[in-house]
Amino acid sequence: MPNSRKTIVLFMVAVVLTVSLVTLVVQHIGSLEETIDSLNSKNMRLEKSLEDIEQVNSELRSEVESLNDQLAELLKPKLVSGPARFPISRVLARQGDTVSKLAQREGTSSAVIQALNPWLNGKTDLIASQAIWIPNPEP
């Protein structure tokens, strides 16, 4: 084969290869552009979601601060004037007292005294000067 024919064949092969390569590059660029567009779209959605989350976070932070302020106000000591009444009082048993005598004297029942004083363990006799819890009478 003469040199000019070889040159033409090589030239044609080079042209075909170049066209094929350019076609592949163009297709790949198109695919990359689609991927970039898809990623940009996802990025925009994620940025919007992040803005929404930041907004909710800010609102929640404000609510927590408000609740903390309310809690701090509730926990502040307050001046109380007048006597404080508790639901139970302590009395001292007298010589010869039993649970039932004490209950009758204090206007309650033996069962209530036993319930308020579990250390009695069902005992009915009391020791003089023994501290016993009794319910306060209703006002």
Side-chain angles (χ1 to χ4, degrees):
M1 187 190 279
N3 262 346
S4 66
R5 260 188 158 182
K6 280 184 180 179
T7 303
I8 291 174
V9 169
L10 286 174
F11 178 74
M12 292 298 281
V13 168
V15 168
V16 168
L17 287 174
T18 303
V19 169
S20 296
L21 184 60
V22 168
T23 302
L24 285 173
V25 168
V26 167
Q27 288 175 349
H28 188 65
I29 288 173
S31 174
L32 288 175
E33 286 174 344
E34 288 175 13
T35 301
I36 289 170
D37 289 344
S38 173
L39 289 173
N40 282 335
S41 176
K42 285 180 183 179
N43 187 43
M44 287 172 53
R45 286 193 307 272
L46 289 172
E47 285 178 355
K48 175 63 174 135
S49 293
L50 182 60
E51 288 173 8
D52 293 345
I53 289 169
E54 287 173 346
Q55 176 64 32
V56 169
N57 192 23
S58 174
E59 291 168 3
L60 289 173
R61 194 175 294 115
S62 294
E63 188 173 340
V64 166
E65 288 175 11
S66 173
L67 290 171
N68 282 337
D69 291 345
Q70 290 175 24
L71 181 60
E73 188 62 34
L74 288 172
L75 294 176
K76 280 184 183 175
K78 295 192 176 30
L79 179 62
V80 176
S81 59
R85 291 196 37 87
F86 294 97
I88 59 173
S89 294
R90 186 179 60 130
V91 296
L92 299 178
R94 297 178 189 162
Q95 184 70 36
D97 264 351
T98 63
V99 170
S100 100
K101 282 183 187 176
L102 181 65
Q104 188 176 23
R105 185 171 64 241
E106 296 297 335
T108 188
S109 70
S110 296
V112 169
I113 290 180
Q114 290 286 352
L116 289 174
N117 301 277
W119 55 88
L120 293 175
N121 293 324
K123 295 178 186 169
T124 57
D125 291 328
L126 300 175
I127 301 167
S129 299
Q130 183 177 8
I132 303 294
W133 292 109
I134 61 166
N136 280 336
E138 295 292 320

